[in-house]
């Protein structure tokens, strides 16, 4: 970021959509807004500034009907090393950046209370692969599962570990896996994602005592979560690193992916596709498709292949937002 007179630099640690909390290089906290003409500089997201962004801002006086005294006006964003985006499939084509400059995306998964489908998991993993963000999968609420659900849990862990994703089983209630989770987060900037109700805030409260993030029980009638986090916020971890809590995610669409690219973000499909008869094989109808053969032989999980086909079929519907 170029040095400009009277320009402060800082890290965005909270975003409510209209206000941003920024911590400068001296540890001072400022409430900031975006400079008026900042939104029109070719940024096609619903909100151009995200938690984790390094920004330049200058202090300015504003009227008493908003916030008394000085606030910061954000004038620039440093180049991001990566970011992760979401949108509800019912929204417009614009996307919303959840967080930026991430070392690790932590996907919280529950088999029940609420259900996390493999379709949702695979869409998330594909997005992380697209933005080259390592993923840690955390299978939470293990204390609530019966024998059948525990077997399903083991099957899923085996599936995703074989592909190459690190998996941890956790329960804040019994402390299962919590020390492993702490070590996996240490000295990294971690963004935590998952459906509402999977226990993100409960896990964060366990890892960083004193935050007292709000938690709610899931809906008894629908076994779905109620939104407790309504904006993204970054917290420092006493044992090293940061954690970004995000609003619960209901669904993902695609972002800036051509159909031929989608298979690249399914690690095992991309690896086996090198043996296909055609270089541009879509793995849907072509003869000599090594991927379809691998699915038939059980070398690629049917659930993963189904997720891949679902993304191909919905490409026009979802693109260009993820």
């Amino acid at each position: 970021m170029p040095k400009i007179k009277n320009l402060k630099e800082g890290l965005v640690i909270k975003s409510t959509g209209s206000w941003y909390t920024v911590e400068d290089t001296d540890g001072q906290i400022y409430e900031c807004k975006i400079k008026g003409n900042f939104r029109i500089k070719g940024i096609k997201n619903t909100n151009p500034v995200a938690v984790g962004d390094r920004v330049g801002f200058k202090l300015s006086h504003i009227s008493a009907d908003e916030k008394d005294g000085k606030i910061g006006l954000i004038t620039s964003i440093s180049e991001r090393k990566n970011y992760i985006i979401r949108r509800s499939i019912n929204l417009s084509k614009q996307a919303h950046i959840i967080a930026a400059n991430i070392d690790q995306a932590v996907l919280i998964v529950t088999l029940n209370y609420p259900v996390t489908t493999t379709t949702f998991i695979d869409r998330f993993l594909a997005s992380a692969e697209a933005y080259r963000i390592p993923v840690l999968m955390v299978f939470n609420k293990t204390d609530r599962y019966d024998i059948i659900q525990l077997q399903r849990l083991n099957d899923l862990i085996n599936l995703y570990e074989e592909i190459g994703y690190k998996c941890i089983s956790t329960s804040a209630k019994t402390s299962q896996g919590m020390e492993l989770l702490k070590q996996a987060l240490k000295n990294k900037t971690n963004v935590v994602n998952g459906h509402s109700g999977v226990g993100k805030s409960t896990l964060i409260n366990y890892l960083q005592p004193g935050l007292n993030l709000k938690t709610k029980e899931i809906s008894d009638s629908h076994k779905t979560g109620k939104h407790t986090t309504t904006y993204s916020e970054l917290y420092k971890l006493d044992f090293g690193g940061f954690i970004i809590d995000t609003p619960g995610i209901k669904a993902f669409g695609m972002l800036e992916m051509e159909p031929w690219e989608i298979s690249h973000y399914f690690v095992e499909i991309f690896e086996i596709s090198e043996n296909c008869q055609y270089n541009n094989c879509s793995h849907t109808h072509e003869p000599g498709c090594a991927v379809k053969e691998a699915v038939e032989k059980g070398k690629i999980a049917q659930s993963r292949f189904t997720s891949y086909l679902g993304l191909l079929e919905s490409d026009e519907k979802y693109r260009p937002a993820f």
Side-chain angles (χ1 to χ4, degrees):
M1 186 180 295
K3 295 293 183 180
I4 302 175
K5 188 176 181 181
N6 299 323
L7 181 70
K8 287 183 170 290
E9 297 179 8
L11 173 68
V12 179
I13 61 174
K14 180 178 177 181
S15 168
T16 64
S18 56
W19 287 93
Y20 307 90
T21 304
V22 179
E23 181 177 342
D24 73 5
T25 52
D26 296 322
Q28 297 296 310
I29 304 297
Y30 296 90
E31 294 298 314
C32 298
K33 299 197 80 169
I34 297 175
K35 190 176 179 181
N37 64 354
F38 191 70
R39 291 182 179 275
I40 62 175
K41 295 182 178 180
I43 300 175
K44 296 181 180 179
N45 307 112
T46 56
N47 199 340
V49 177
V51 170
D53 272 328
R54 297 277 176 182
V55 298
F57 66 100
K58 58 184 180 181
L59 297 183
S60 174
H61 288 280
I62 62 171
S63 59
D65 60 348
E66 290 191 72
K67 288 179 179 285
D68 292 329
K70 289 185 177 182
I71 66 159
L73 291 178
I74 296 174
T75 59
S76 62
I77 306 176
S78 293
E79 183 178 356
R80 297 171 174 133
K81 74 174 183 179
N82 59 34
Y83 53 89
I84 195 163
I85 280 180
R86 75 162 187 176
R87 78 165 170 82
S88 168
I89 59 176
N90 296 320
L91 295 181
S92 69
K93 290 184 177 181
Q94 285 189 316
H96 179 75
I97 300 176
I98 300 174
N101 301 316
I102 304 155
D103 295 322
Q104 180 171 250
V106 182
L107 178 61
I108 311 298
V109 175
T110 47
L111 273 61
N112 209 338
Y113 319 108
V115 172
T116 305
T117 66
T118 53
T119 299
F120 178 86
I121 293 171
D122 294 336
R123 284 180 180 272
F124 183 90
L125 295 178
S127 72
E129 290 290 340
Y131 292 102
R132 297 178 177 84
I133 302 172
V135 176
L136 169 66
M137 297 183 65
V138 176
F139 292 85
N140 196 28
K141 299 189 181 181
T142 55
D143 59 285
R144 303 194 66 171
Y145 300 154
D146 58 25
I147 294 176
I148 294 175
Q149 290 168 337
L150 287 173
Q151 182 57 56
R152 171 65 174 158
L153 171 66
N154 289 332
D155 291 343
L156 284 176
I157 289 176
N158 289 335
L159 164 62
Y160 288 105
E161 284 187 337
E162 187 172 343
I163 295 170
Y165 293 103
K166 183 174 182 179
C167 301
I168 298 175
S169 298
T170 57
S171 167
K173 185 174 182 179
T174 66
S175 299
Q176 178 188 355
M178 297 307 292
E179 189 59 36
L180 286 174
L181 179 57
K182 181 181 291 188
Q183 292 304 313
L185 303 181
K186 188 175 181 179
N187 297 328
K188 298 174 182 173
T189 297
N190 306 275
V191 60
V192 182
N193 304 99
H195 287 315
S196 297
V198 294
K200 297 188 302 295
S201 297
T202 299
L203 289 177
I204 294 172
N205 283 338
Y206 185 105
L207 294 166
Q208 187 58 47
L211 288 180
N212 297 320
L213 302 187
K214 291 182 180 179
T215 61
K216 286 186 179 179
E217 292 297 319
I218 63 171
S219 167
D220 291 331
S221 58
H222 297 96
K223 297 293 187 289
T224 56
K226 304 171 184 177
H227 289 284
T228 53
T229 303
T230 56
Y231 47 78
S232 296
E233 186 163 3
L234 179 147
Y235 303 99
K236 292 181 180 178
L237 297 171
D238 288 343
F239 53 86
F242 302 90
I243 198 163
I244 301 173
D245 190 19
T246 62
I249 301 170
K250 290 185 177 180
F252 278 104
M254 296 306 295
L255 170 73
E256 298 171 350
M257 284 188 197
E258 297 298 330
W260 61 268
E261 288 182 288
I262 295 174
S263 65
H264 294 194
Y265 306 125
F266 285 73
V267 179
E268 73 280 33
I269 291 177
F270 181 63
E271 181 179 349
I272 291 178
S273 68
E274 294 182 357
N275 299 319
C276 288
Q277 182 174 333
Y278 298 99
N279 291 333
N280 60 346
C281 185
S282 68
H283 320 304
T284 57
H285 62 279
E286 298 87 348
C289 176
V291 169
K292 288 191 294 183
E293 182 181 348
V295 175
E296 292 171 1
K297 292 182 177 180
K299 294 180 180 179
I300 293 177
Q302 182 63 56
S303 63
R304 291 278 289 170
F305 189 58
T306 299
S307 294
Y308 163 72
L309 293 178
L311 288 178
L312 277 184
E313 292 169 1
S314 62
D315 180 67
E316 290 301 323
K317 177 180 178 181
Y318 289 115
R319 204 156 28 102
F322 197 103

